[in-house]
Coordinates of all heavy atoms in Angstrom, one line a residue:
D41 N 102.5 131.2 133.8 CA 103.4 130.0 133.7 C 104.8 130.5 133.9 O 105.4 131.2 133.0 CB 103.2 129.3 132.4 CG 103.9 128.0 132.4 OD1 104.7 127.7 133.3 OD2 103.7 127.2 131.4
P42 N 105.5 130.1 135.0 CA 106.9 130.6 135.2 C 107.9 130.0 134.1 O 108.9 130.6 133.9 CB 107.3 130.1 136.6 CG 106.3 129.0 136.9 CD 105.0 129.3 136.1
E43 N 107.5 128.9 133.5 CA 108.4 128.3 132.5 C 108.4 129.1 131.2 O 109.4 129.0 130.5 CB 108.0 126.8 132.3 CG 108.2 125.9 133.5 CD 107.8 124.5 133.2 OE1 107.4 124.2 132.0 OE2 108.0 123.6 134.1
L44 N 107.3 129.8 130.9 CA 107.2 130.5 129.7 C 107.8 131.9 129.9 O 108.2 132.6 128.8 CB 105.7 130.7 129.3 CG 105.0 129.5 128.7 CD1 103.6 129.9 128.4 CD2 105.7 129.1 127.4
Q45 N 108.1 132.4 131.1 CA 108.5 133.8 131.3 C 109.9 134.0 130.7 O 110.2 135.0 130.1 CB 108.5 134.1 132.8 CG 107.0 134.3 133.2 CD 106.9 134.9 134.6 OE1 107.8 135.5 135.1 NE2 105.7 134.8 135.2
P46 N 110.9 133.1 130.9 CA 112.2 133.3 130.2 C 112.1 133.4 128.7 O 112.8 134.2 128.1 CB 113.1 132.1 130.7 CG 112.4 131.6 131.9 CD 110.9 131.9 131.8
L47 N 111.2 132.5 128.1 CA 111.0 132.5 126.7 C 110.4 133.9 126.2 O 110.9 134.5 125.2 CB 110.1 131.4 126.3 CG 109.8 131.3 124.8 CD1 111.0 131.0 124.0 CD2 108.8 130.2 124.6
L48 N 109.4 134.4 127.0 CA 108.8 135.6 126.6 C 109.8 136.8 126.8 O 109.8 137.7 126.0 CB 107.6 135.9 127.5 CG 106.3 135.0 127.2 CD1 105.3 135.2 128.2 CD2 105.8 135.3 125.8
F49 N 110.6 136.7 127.8 CA 111.6 137.7 128.1 C 112.6 137.8 126.9 O 112.9 138.9 126.4 CB 112.4 137.5 129.3 CG 113.5 138.4 129.6 CD1 113.3 139.7 130.2 CD2 114.8 138.1 129.2 CE1 114.3 140.6 130.4 CE2 115.9 139.0 129.4 CZ 115.6 140.3 130.0
G50 N 113.1 136.7 126.4 CA 114.0 136.7 125.3 C 113.3 137.2 124.0 O 113.9 138.0 123.2
L51 N 112.1 136.8 123.8 CA 111.4 137.2 122.6 C 111.1 138.7 122.6 O 111.4 139.4 121.6 CB 110.0 136.4 122.5 CG 109.1 136.8 121.4 CD1 109.7 136.4 120.0 CD2 107.7 136.1 121.5
F52 N 110.6 139.2 123.7 CA 110.3 140.6 123.7 C 111.5 141.5 123.8 O 111.5 142.7 123.3 CB 109.3 140.9 124.8 CG 107.9 140.5 124.6 CD1 107.3 139.5 125.3 CD2 107.1 141.1 123.6 CE1 106.0 139.0 125.0 CE2 105.8 140.7 123.3 CZ 105.3 139.7 124.1
L53 N 112.6 141.0 124.4 CA 113.8 141.8 124.4 C 114.4 141.9 123.0 O 114.8 143.0 122.5 CB 114.8 141.1 125.3 CG 116.2 141.7 125.3 CD1 116.1 143.2 125.9 CD2 117.2 140.9 126.2
A54 N 114.3 140.8 122.2 CA 114.8 140.8 120.8 C 113.9 141.8 120.0 O 114.5 142.6 119.2 CB 114.8 139.4 120.2
M55 N 112.6 141.7 120.2 CA 111.7 142.6 119.4 C 112.0 144.1 119.8 O 111.9 144.9 118.9 CB 110.3 142.2 119.6 CG 109.9 140.8 119.1 SD 108.3 140.3 119.6 CE 107.2 141.3 118.6
Y56 N 112.2 144.3 121.0 CA 112.4 145.7 121.5 C 113.7 146.3 120.9 O 113.8 147.4 120.4 CB 112.4 145.8 123.0 CG 112.6 147.2 123.6 CD1 111.7 148.2 123.3 CD2 113.7 147.5 124.3 CE1 111.9 149.5 123.8 CE2 113.9 148.7 124.8 CZ 113.0 149.7 124.6 OH 113.2 151.0 125.1
L57 N 114.8 145.4 120.9 CA 116.1 145.9 120.4 C 116.0 146.1 118.9 O 116.6 147.1 118.4 CB 117.1 144.8 120.7 CG 117.5 144.7 122.2 CD1 118.5 143.6 122.4 CD2 118.1 146.0 122.7
V58 N 115.2 145.3 118.2 CA 115.0 145.5 116.7 C 114.3 146.7 116.5 O 114.6 147.5 115.5 CB 114.3 144.2 116.1 CG1 113.9 144.5 114.7 CG2 115.2 143.0 116.1
T59 N 113.3 147.0 117.3 CA 112.5 148.3 117.2 C 113.4 149.5 117.3 O 113.3 150.4 116.5 CB 111.4 148.3 118.2 OG1 110.5 147.2 118.0 CG2 110.5 149.6 118.1
M60 N 114.2 149.5 118.4 CA 115.1 150.6 118.7 C 116.1 150.8 117.6 O 116.3 151.9 117.1 CB 115.8 150.4 120.0 CG 114.9 150.3 121.2 SD 114.1 151.9 121.6 CE 115.5 152.8 122.2
L61 N 116.7 149.7 117.2 CA 117.8 149.8 116.2 C 117.2 150.2 114.8 O 117.8 151.1 114.2 CB 118.5 148.4 116.0 CG 119.6 148.3 115.0 CD1 120.8 149.3 115.4 CD2 120.2 146.9 114.9
G62 N 116.1 149.6 114.4 CA 115.5 149.9 113.1 C 115.1 151.4 113.0 O 115.4 152.0 112.0
N63 N 114.4 151.8 114.0 CA 113.9 153.2 114.0 C 115.0 154.2 114.1 O 115.0 155.3 113.5 CB 112.8 153.4 115.1 CG 111.5 152.8 114.7 OD1 110.8 153.3 113.8 ND2 111.1 151.8 115.4
L64 N 116.1 153.9 114.9 CA 117.2 154.8 115.1 C 118.0 154.9 113.8 O 118.5 156.0 113.4 CB 118.1 154.3 116.2 CG 117.7 154.7 117.6 CD1 118.6 154.0 118.6 CD2 117.7 156.2 117.9
L65 N 118.1 153.8 113.1 CA 118.8 153.8 111.8 C 118.0 154.6 110.7 O 118.6 155.3 109.9 CB 119.0 152.4 111.2 CG 120.1 151.5 111.9 CD1 120.1 150.1 111.4 CD2 121.5 152.2 111.6
I66 N 116.7 154.6 110.8 CA 115.9 155.4 109.9 C 116.1 156.9 110.2 O 116.4 157.7 109.3 CB 114.4 155.1 110.1 CG1 114.0 153.7 109.5 CG2 113.5 156.1 109.4 CD1 114.0 153.5 108.1

Side-chain angles (χ1 to χ4, degrees):
D41 189 350
E43 294 181 359
L44 284 177
Q45 291 193 12
L47 178 64
L48 289 175
F49 176 81
L51 176 64
F52 285 111
L53 177 62
M55 293 171 73
Y56 180 63
L57 291 176
V58 169
T59 301
M60 295 291 288
L61 180 62
N63 283 290
L64 281 173
L65 283 174
I66 292 284

